[in-house]
Amino acid sequence: MGFVAKPTLLRVLDRLGALATLLLPLFLVHWRGIVEGCLDGLAVGFLLRSALTRDWSWCRQGFVWPALVWWAWLVLCSLPRQMPAPAEATASLTQALLAIRFPVAAFALAFWTLQDSGTRTWCRRLIVA
């Protein structure tokens, strides 16, 4: 069996995911907008990588389904109760629908970027520093 190189797109996704992961501890307290972008990038990158590799095994892990049930409950509680829906109700529903990015970003950290020992080591160093 020979060495099989990763396709270029997966290598790029892995590097961008590692970069986004390493930016999180640097900007978490200040410049929250950068962290929001990193979390969104991690979530989208993770789902794209899962689709490209057809590896959805992370869905069977213990804390994935409770997180998704929490998100579904959040969306259910944000559904407009009257028609036509007031602008505030629509904004609440939109915010609840977009909240899926937080658990998916956590899944990305747990099952993708922090699986790499180099990224884990650098993240640890940045947090300690």
Side-chain angles (χ1 to χ4, degrees):
M1 290 205 151
F3 173 74
V4 178
K6 274 198 244 182
T8 304
L9 182 56
L10 288 180
R11 281 197 318 268
V12 169
L13 275 175
D14 288 346
R15 287 186 180 162
L16 288 174
L19 177 64
T21 299
L22 295 176
L23 289 176
L24 288 176
L26 295 175
F27 295 109
L28 198 54
V29 176
H30 305 290
W31 298 301
R32 194 181 85 211
I34 293 173
V35 171
E36 290 274 345
C38 289
L39 289 173
D40 294 349
L42 279 170
V44 170
F46 180 58
L47 292 175
L48 180 59
R49 189 177 198 293
S50 295
L52 288 172
T53 60
R54 293 186 178 113
D55 180 13
W56 299 95
S57 60
W58 56 271
C59 292
R60 293 188 296 272
Q61 300 302 314
F63 72 92
V64 170
W65 288 105
L68 295 178
V69 168
W70 165 81
W71 174 70
W73 179 253
L74 188 68
V75 170
L76 182 67
C77 291
S78 300
L79 290 173
R81 304 214 188 334
Q82 57 184 337
M83 286 303 188
E88 298 85 17
T90 305
S92 294
L93 179 60
T94 302
Q95 190 174 19
L97 288 169
L98 292 175
I100 190 64
R101 70 187 191 273
F102 298 118
V104 174
F107 304 154
L109 291 170
F111 303 118
W112 176 33
T113 60
L114 292 178
Q115 292 292 316
D116 177 62
S117 63
T119 304
R120 223 177 20 252
T121 300
W122 275 105
C123 193
R124 186 179 308 117
R125 289 175 182 166
L126 289 170
I127 290 170
V128 169

